[in-house]
Amino acid sequence: MNIHYKSFIELGKSLAVSKELSWDFKINSDGYAVDDAGWNLTTCVGDVPPPAYYLRDLGTDSKTLNIINVERAASGLVQLHQCALSSAWQDFIKAAVIEQLLVKRNSSGYVLRCTVNSGHSCFKPPVAVC
């Protein structure tokens, strides 16, 4: 594992602990947080809802997957299905969210739009082999 990646993840984990966020919240096979758990980004930075923004989706990007599946169908290939991202991608997304919120001090709404909003993600890979 790359030392820089590992350091970035470890920083994210330590910052998450400081905000009492569970790094390893449970997700289903599609990558969505079980029982709507996950991280409340709004309260994490001390904002008062509404609105409340959450990190709950750690799965493949459904909009991109739909586009890819149209192409696959035209080529006679098997459709890809929604699935959870690898643990390495999940860690990267969590660390990026924490860094944006707590180090760069961006708003929870900004972080949602730029890093975790399904279909508009800067950090989320569009498709993973499940």
Side-chain angles (χ1 to χ4, degrees):
M1 181 182 302
N2 181 303
I3 190 167
H4 302 292
Y5 170 82
K6 187 174 182 177
S7 295
F8 184 63
I9 300 306
E10 291 306 315
L11 172 64
K13 286 181 177 182
S14 67
L15 290 171
V17 166
S18 75
K19 289 295 185 175
E20 299 179 1
L21 296 172
S22 172
W23 189 265
D24 295 316
F25 60 86
K26 295 192 184 300
I27 59 171
N28 64 21
S29 61
D30 291 339
Y32 195 79
V34 176
D35 297 330
D36 286 333
W39 292 352
N40 183 327
L41 305 181
T42 304
T43 59
C44 172
V45 295
D47 288 345
V48 178
Y53 299 109
Y54 291 85
L55 171 61
R56 293 182 178 150
D57 185 1
L58 295 170
T60 50
D61 181 63
S62 60
K63 291 180 182 179
T64 304
L65 199 56
N66 289 337
I67 293 168
I68 290 170
N69 279 334
V70 167
E71 294 293 323
R72 291 179 66 85
S75 300
L77 299 172
V78 176
Q79 300 279 304
L80 299 175
H81 299 285
Q82 182 78 22
C83 64
L85 298 173
S86 70
S87 60
W89 270 111
Q90 291 178 34
D91 285 346
F92 181 72
I93 291 168
K94 291 173 189 174
V97 166
I98 287 291
E99 189 235 4
Q100 287 291 313
L101 286 173
L102 304 179
V103 176
K104 295 195 176 195
R105 317 274 302 154
N106 287 315
S107 72
S108 54
Y110 174 84
V111 173
L112 175 78
R113 287 187 303 277
C114 290
T115 59
V116 298
N117 194 10
S118 182
H120 300 90
S121 175
C122 299
F123 295 107
K124 192 176 185 182
V127 176
V129 177
C130 301

